[in-house]
Amino acid sequence: MKNKPNLAVVGATGLVGGTFLKVLEERNFPYERLYLMASAKSAGSKIVFRGNEYLVEELTEHSFDKPVDIALFSAGGGTSEKFSPIAAKNGAVVVDNSSAWRMDANVPLVVPEVNPGEIAKHKGIIANPNCSTIQAMVALKPLYDRYGIKRVVYSTYQSVSGTGLKGIRDLEEGLKGNDLNIAYPHPIAGNCLPHIDVFLDNGYTKEEMKMINETHKILGDDKIAVTATTVRVPVLYSHSESINVELEKPFELEELRALLAAAPGIVVVDDPAKNEYPLARAAAGRDEVFVGRIRRDFSVENGVNLWVVADNIRKGAATNAVQIAEKLLEIL
Ligand code: L14
């Protein structure tokens, strides 16, 4: 690829789409041309990027007739199923934020700190993992490499921004006493909903199964026992996760802590004496994964508990995708 690619942002008017643009601008991502695309409903609006005004065009079968090198998609699963292959066939590399392609054997599922080598294997589409999975992988990878992982129990506390602008609206209005219930089947203000994405026949939610399946795919190890309970909480930005891990090998807590502190993309915040631990509000707007409450699980042989927090719209979506695109520039 020439070192200045033509970029397309698909779903440019959405919460993640807007954050793609913010992150591209912050990181000074090189580009020749930029195309902003959205559904007919949002097409026609104007967005300013690096001082230039762009018209949002309607996404159609012909949107990729023009040369596009990298297309960042965050337009939902259905749109991605239809349009990602069209973009790829026309020569673009798609980095897709939806769940449509993640478990496809021909599609790399990438967290750049964890499995960057997968990027080069793409056949036109690369999947950005689920937001909750991304932050968990950044935290677990150094432990997996050093000690091996036998079992993981995820319990998540996920913010409403995961559901986009309507989730934010539900919480903000709900806090004023006006429950809209547009994003969720119950009020989110003052509640914890053990329900993210749809319920499946096995009793899990799709979000829970995404965390389980994507963990196996990203670590390249189906033998790890994984279970998950994913919960929506009345928080605007950042997902928090309790991660209980059973390692294969014995560990020294101080060594494990040092490994996490030295790992790429992680900031350890763990000073209980000073009431310091990762917090959603502190993580919001940041690109790192914050890890704290690092302590031995005395109930099993090689157990450790972690509290892991990251901005779900940034590292959990836009930043991770842009990091993938940056790696693409190096290899194309
Ligand atoms: O990317 O928080 O699979 O409602 C689907 C559910 C993103 C978050 C995905 C939510 C998610 C979303």
Side-chain angles (χ1 to χ4, degrees):
M1 188 189 291
K2 50 187 183 298
N3 52 12
K4 282 193 173 182
N6 291 341
L7 297 180
V9 171
V10 181
T13 55
L15 186 58
V16 174
T19 310
F20 278 150
L21 294 172
K22 204 193 277 180
V23 173
L24 288 169
E25 184 161 7
E26 286 170 7
R27 297 171 80 98
N28 216 358
F29 195 93
Y31 67 100
E32 186 73 41
R33 287 168 176 276
L34 173 68
Y35 302 103
L36 305 186
M37 304 175 187
S39 67
K41 208 174 61 191
S42 312
S45 55
K46 291 184 179 134
I47 291 178
V48 176
F49 180 72
R50 286 187 187 160
N52 296 316
E53 195 176 77
Y54 291 82
L55 182 68
V56 179
E57 60 182 274
E58 183 185 347
L59 176 67
T60 72
E61 277 93 343
H62 295 292
S63 295
F64 298 95
D65 292 352
K66 52 187 172 290
V68 172
D69 300 298
I70 298 177
L72 302 176
F73 270 65
S74 190
T79 302
S80 177
E81 265 166 44
K82 177 161 177 206
F83 291 97
S84 292
I86 296 175
K89 212 168 101 227
N90 282 277
V93 182
V94 173
V95 182
D96 178 45
N97 189 51
S98 82
S99 60
W101 302 98
R102 290 179 188 147
M103 295 312 295
D104 187 313
N106 290 311
V107 174
L109 181 65
V110 179
V111 180
E113 292 89 341
V114 177
N115 60 344
E118 292 298 302
I119 294 173
K121 300 181 189 166
H122 79 83
K123 299 187 171 81
I125 304 176
I126 297 169
N128 210 35
N130 172 266
C131 37
S132 300
T133 313
I134 291 175
Q135 66 186 72
M137 290 300 95
V138 171
L140 290 183
K141 172 68 171 170
L143 306 188
Y144 180 78
D145 287 347
R146 171 68 178 85
Y147 308 107
I149 293 178
K150 192 168 163 191
R151 180 168 186 258
V152 180
V153 181
Y154 293 125
S155 307
T156 72
Y157 304 69
Q158 299 185 215
S159 69
V160 296
S161 55
T163 326
L165 297 166
K166 65 179 189 295
I168 292 173
R169 213 167 144 237
D170 251 8
L171 177 56
E172 285 180 341
E173 286 299 312
L175 289 173
K176 294 183 217 152
N178 178 25
D179 290 322
L180 300 176
N181 301 355
I182 47 175
Y184 313 113
H186 304 283
I188 184 60
N191 260 341
C192 297
L193 311 179
H195 175 184
I196 296 181
D197 209 335
V198 296
F199 279 101
L200 304 172
D201 288 342
N202 66 0
Y204 282 70
T205 62
K206 200 171 161 195
E207 185 80 350
E208 288 158 351
M209 291 312 299
K210 282 181 268 187
M211 289 195 79
I212 295 167
N213 295 329
E214 293 176 22
T215 294
H216 289 146
K217 180 164 174 175
I218 294 166
L219 293 178
D221 186 347
D222 288 343
K223 292 193 306 294
I224 306 172
V226 188
T227 190
T229 302
T230 59
V231 180
R232 184 84 59 196
V233 295
V235 166
L236 282 174
Y237 293 99
S238 305
H239 292 348
S240 303
E241 302 179 350
S242 157
I243 309 185
N244 174 253
V245 193
E246 248 183 285
L247 300 167
E248 293 279 1
K249 295 186 193 143
F251 67 94
E252 293 294 336
L253 194 60
E254 281 319 306
E255 186 198 52
L256 184 149
R257 185 192 304 275
L259 266 177
L260 289 169
I266 293 181
V267 177
V268 170
V269 181
D270 196 15
D271 194 348
K274 292 192 187 142
N275 298 336
E276 284 175 7
Y277 29 76
L279 289 171
R281 279 172 57 170
R286 301 281 299 266
D287 290 316
E288 306 94 327
V289 173
F290 298 86
V291 182
R293 300 297 321 279
I294 304 165
R295 65 205 193 278
R296 193 172 285 277
D297 171 2
F298 299 111
S299 72
V300 291
E301 207 177 309
N302 301 311
V304 65
N305 284 309
L306 309 173
W307 178 250
V308 177
V309 181
D311 185 323
N312 54 303
I313 302 298
R314 290 186 65 101
K315 182 55 184 166
T319 301
N320 198 73
V322 173
Q323 289 171 326
I324 292 172
E326 287 171 345
K327 299 248 178 235
L328 268 174
L329 286 183
E330 293 169 17
I331 61 170
L332 285 184

